[in-house]
Amino acid sequence: MPTYTPVTADSLVARLFQVIDSRSWDELGDVLTEDAVYERPGYPALEGLDRIRTFYEHERIITEGRHEVDQVTGSLGAAACWGRFQGVSRDGTSLDEGFADTYLVRDGKIERRKTFFYRPAI
């Protein structure tokens, strides 16, 4: 008999980064709502699952890499995490960036994600 594992903020964030890091774009709908909004520095808000998928498949400067999450806090209504991303850009440049994300969650899926990077901006 299969074991049911309830969705938690930790498991949802872990699944999000598993999908992204493995480049499993067909599985984005497992973790994002159809009307999800993703905000990140340097881009206008990405609105809707199809738009977010297009960003990851065709526009994102990263070709490969891995998110290492240090901490997840919050609940399934609103959560946050922080950690580090290490990878390679499309032009072959090594990437090593600290990040923090905030999430609003509806029915066990992310409806709004906002990413912050640790670098001087103002």
Side-chain angles (χ1 to χ4, degrees):
M1 177 176 215
T3 304
Y4 172 72
T5 304
V7 174
T8 64
D10 283 358
S11 67
L12 184 58
V13 169
R15 179 70 176 129
L16 171 69
F17 290 127
Q18 177 187 40
V19 168
I20 293 169
D21 292 347
S22 67
R23 303 176 64 83
S24 300
W25 311 134
D26 290 341
E27 297 173 22
L28 281 169
D30 293 351
V31 292
L32 301 174
T33 63
E34 281 293 322
D35 61 346
V37 176
Y38 179 27
E39 296 176 76
R40 62 183 284 136
Y43 296 88
L46 306 170
E47 298 183 10
L49 183 57
D50 289 340
R51 176 66 186 101
I52 294 167
R53 181 180 174 153
T54 296
F55 166 76
Y56 278 115
E57 284 186 301
H58 304 291
E59 300 168 25
R60 187 175 184 229
I61 67 162
I62 297 165
T63 57
E64 65 180 80
R66 186 171 188 287
H67 291 82
E68 185 70 37
V69 175
D70 294 330
Q71 183 73 43
V72 177
T73 188
S75 67
L76 266 182
C81 78
W82 53 92
R84 177 156 235 87
F85 174 83
Q86 293 180 312
V88 179
S89 72
R90 289 178 191 238
D91 69 5
T93 303
S94 291
L95 303 170
D96 186 354
E97 186 77 44
F99 73 92
D101 272 1
T102 59
Y103 308 96
L104 294 178
V105 180
R106 182 178 76 231
D107 299 327
K109 292 185 179 184
I110 296 166
E111 69 175 339
R112 189 166 204 94
R113 176 182 176 203
K114 189 168 188 175
T115 297
F116 302 87
F117 298 117
Y118 294 97
R119 62 173 71 206
I122 56 170

